Amino acid sequence: MAENYGLWLERLLKELEKGPADAPKPRLLLQVCCAPCSSYVFEYLARYFDITAFFYNPNIAPEKEFSFRLSELRRFLDETGRADTVIDCPAYDPREFFDAVHGMEELPEGGERCRVCYELRLRRTAEAARNGHFDYFTTTLSISPYKNAAWLNEIGIRLGEEYGVPYLRSDFKKKNGYKRSIELSRQYDLYRQDYCGCIYSKLESEKKRTGSNG
């Protein structure tokens, strides 16, 4: 039977609630891809964790898109009273993504290319979490119904063991998490992109929009 990652997280949060009221919050390094996906996750976790946003997304193309998503994240945090949230943003280098998925360019969205992309971003997050002495790391990606939460958790748990920082198991789309992210996006007029981020998902989205098979 597949593990219920949402239930695992709920149990952990209940344990944290039992701790001393004056105890410092555990430090969480949260890999974020955009403001809409981050919106509900911050709302859900901020009371339990001291969150640092890790905007590592070498898959996003073009660079203008990368910069705009980052600016929207900053705006959202500012407008929700979280302007003091640290955003760690490694330099944009799309070659890291293209090198990782070389030979997978023609694979369909949601397949092995995406799995490799998940690991690329989560590995860098795990490494940063270890170097920064964080208590946990995780990603906002599971809030999307188009992302494979089982893959994300399997990769995250494995990397957590490798780097010595626990992966915060989660499936943020559950219990209306995705619905709530849409509500928050509307409330704060957040830019909701129509493709995941990489050039291949952009091209696939454009084909679907135009009905082109070429």
Side-chain angles (χ1 to χ4, degrees), residues 28-128:
L28 171 66
L29 187 62
L30 177 66
Q31 189 272 331
V32 300
C33 56
C34 61
C37 288
S38 304
S39 60
Y40 168 72
V41 179
F42 268 95
E43 182 180 74
Y44 182 34
L45 296 182
R47 61 179 290 198
Y48 303 101
F49 298 96
D50 176 7
I51 303 175
T52 292
F54 191 58
F55 194 82
Y56 175 64
N57 300 287
N59 59 305
I60 294 178
E63 186 171 4
K64 181 180 179 181
E65 177 80 12
F66 176 93
S67 298
F68 187 59
R69 292 192 193 191
L70 177 58
S71 69
E72 282 289 270
L73 173 65
R74 287 177 171 144
R75 180 173 69 84
F76 169 74
L77 292 173
D78 182 61
E79 293 183 7
T80 54
R82 301 185 178 96
D84 59 344
T85 300
V86 174
I87 301 177
D88 184 353
C89 181
Y92 178 66
D93 186 359
R95 293 173 300 179
E96 296 176 352
F97 169 72
F98 289 123
D99 288 347
V101 302
H102 179 68
M104 303 179 184
E105 293 85 354
E106 300 301 322
L107 295 181
E109 187 72 4
E112 186 62 22
R113 186 182 64 234
C114 292
R115 183 170 185 144
V116 169
C117 183
Y118 296 166
E119 174 141 6
L120 173 67
R121 288 187 276 175
L122 283 174
R123 180 172 291 279
R124 183 70 175 271
T125 309
E127 181 181 26

